[in-house]
Amino acid sequence: MVDGIAAVVGSEIILLSEVVDRSVPVFAELEAMSRQGGAAPPVGAQRLDVLREVLEAMIDEILVGQQAAEIKLNVTSEEVEAAIANVVRENGVDREVFEREIAKRGMDMTEYRAQMRRDLLKFKVINLKVRGRVKIADAEAREYYNGLVRDVRASGWFEGAHILVRVPQGARAVEVARARKRAEEIRARIDAGESFEAVAAECSEDAATAAGGGALGQRTPGDIPALDRVFVDLEPGEVSGPIRTSSGFHVVKLLDREDLGVQPFADVRQRIINQLVQEEMIRQEKIWLKELKLRTFIDRRSPLYGARTAP
């Protein structure tokens, strides 16, 4: 290819030769993967797609660099070397072996340091610009956890209890609202520290269970279809509700469940939150970069694109 301008990003340009140079390690890695998997390496339109992806990454880097300049962020040589040392340590090899592996990917250490500097700068900028957009509530983490363990828990027994506030068949809206309010008041008493069993004995309108503190005995999922999902999602000792069923409003408590080797939510809560934060950071980063692109003049040119793409 004859060299030329691959793209203009604001007042900066990206040369075609720069895109080709940056693509060398990408193609080296793809070809290595192809050899290992017995597939053909990228050719023709596939290679063009790779070049375009590399160009888009370079456009992102320029946008991030412009933002870093605005807020006076930079990356020191010490930070770069510390990051490289950390990568070497995590790979469990010595520095010489690591550098040989980098060379196999079509890069020398000067290029690798430059890439590491770009990555670190992007990390700093994204943390400042995007981290504030990411908020993961406990309820979101708990719902994610429930989705992971629900099928396992559904295979074992549980012991639950409930307090029922009945709603008659054909009840008017005002009667339903009155029953809901009473159930909410019952839940508030329990949340304030009153014994679930004592409140059940006093307030539950299920004559069969009230005297026993609302205990429903040992059950398996499927025994109480209207409340199964609630019990499956609770930890022993947790209370939920009010929950509306055809009988009325229930406040429920999980007393015990079969030990199926599932770690409690409290033990994995922070790990799940960290994972959800990471996933949301990636999503918000894409949104933020898209917003930057909409505010910036970007002209992608041939031969990587068939026609100029500036607005």
Side-chain angles (χ1 to χ4, degrees):
M1 288 182 180
V2 177
D3 201 5
I5 296 174
V8 178
V9 185
S11 60
E12 300 186 45
I13 64 170
I14 300 173
L15 295 176
L16 183 59
S17 58
E18 293 174 320
V19 179
V20 172
D21 288 345
R22 288 282 294 277
S23 301
V24 169
V26 180
F27 283 121
E29 188 170 348
L30 289 173
E31 287 165 6
M33 291 169 60
S34 297
R35 286 193 298 271
Q36 291 173 2
V43 295
Q46 293 173 321
R47 290 183 71 86
L48 181 60
D49 286 342
V50 171
L51 290 168
R52 285 175 173 172
E53 288 174 9
V54 171
L55 174 60
E56 291 306 313
M58 294 175 75
I59 290 172
D60 290 349
E61 286 169 5
I62 287 177
L63 294 172
V64 168
Q66 291 170 347
Q67 291 294 303
E70 281 186 20
I71 56 181
K72 296 180 172 56
L73 266 182
N74 58 60
V75 174
T76 66
S77 297
E78 290 76 16
E79 288 174 310
V80 172
E81 292 305 320
I84 293 174
N86 189 52
V87 174
V88 172
R89 186 168 54 254
E90 288 179 351
N91 279 276
V93 297
D94 61 35
R95 184 63 175 254
E96 186 178 341
V97 172
F98 178 76
E99 291 187 10
R100 284 203 299 269
E101 289 301 315
I102 293 299
K104 288 179 184 178
R105 290 164 52 185
M107 299 177 75
D108 59 30
M109 286 306 295
T110 299
E111 292 168 326
Y112 186 78
R113 285 187 181 89
Q115 183 60 57
M116 181 62 76
R117 186 181 296 276
R118 288 190 292 265
D119 290 344
L120 290 173
L121 185 63
K122 182 178 181 180
F123 177 78
K124 285 185 175 184
V125 173
I126 294 299
N127 257 340
L128 275 176
K129 293 289 188 176
V130 176
R131 185 64 181 85
R133 301 183 180 192
V134 178
K135 292 178 175 60
I136 303 298
D138 262 14
E140 186 177 348
R142 182 59 181 271
E143 183 55 36
Y144 182 86
Y145 168 83
N146 288 343
L148 293 176
V149 304
R150 198 170 279 143
D151 288 345
V152 177
R153 284 181 169 175
S155 66
W157 58 261
F158 66 88
E159 291 182 7
H162 82 141
I163 299 169
L164 173 64
V165 177
R166 289 196 180 277
V167 175
Q169 291 292 327
R172 294 173 299 155
V174 66
E175 294 175 296
V176 174
R178 190 180 299 123
R180 181 189 296 276
K181 182 179 180 183
R182 176 161 168 72
E184 289 170 348
E185 290 169 348
I186 288 170
R187 171 67 189 271
R189 288 175 60 182
I190 294 165
D191 289 345
E194 290 192 51
S195 160
F196 186 97
E197 293 72 16
V199 176
E202 176 190 337
C203 301
S204 182
E205 296 174 9
D206 180 0
T209 65
L216 295 164
Q218 190 175 104
R219 304 295 186 102
T220 56
D223 290 348
I224 319 172
L227 297 175
D228 275 350
R229 172 71 171 269
V230 181
F231 282 119
V232 165
D233 286 349
L234 290 176
E235 304 274 7
E238 286 186 333
V239 175
S240 183
I243 300 137
R244 175 73 192 272
T245 72
S246 59
S247 300
F249 290 97
H250 305 253
V251 177
V252 303
K253 179 180 181 180
L254 180 68
L255 305 176
D256 197 9
R257 71 162 68 257
E258 183 177 352
D259 184 0
L260 299 169
V262 174
Q263 288 182 283
F265 174 68
D267 292 353
V268 296
R269 171 185 170 277
Q270 194 56 53
R271 196 187 319 162
I272 288 174
I273 288 177
N274 291 344
Q275 179 181 335
L276 293 178
V277 165
Q278 185 176 20
E279 292 173 0
E280 184 62 12
M281 282 285 288
I282 292 170
R283 193 180 77 87
Q284 290 294 337
E285 176 187 332
K286 291 178 180 176
I287 293 171
W288 179 70
L289 285 169
K290 185 175 181 180
E291 291 169 354
L292 284 182
K293 287 176 179 177
L294 289 172
R295 299 200 303 263
T296 307
F297 175 83
I298 300 174
D299 181 10
R300 302 168 182 84
R301 298 186 179 181
S302 62
L304 297 188
Y305 287 87
R308 294 171 63 163
T309 61

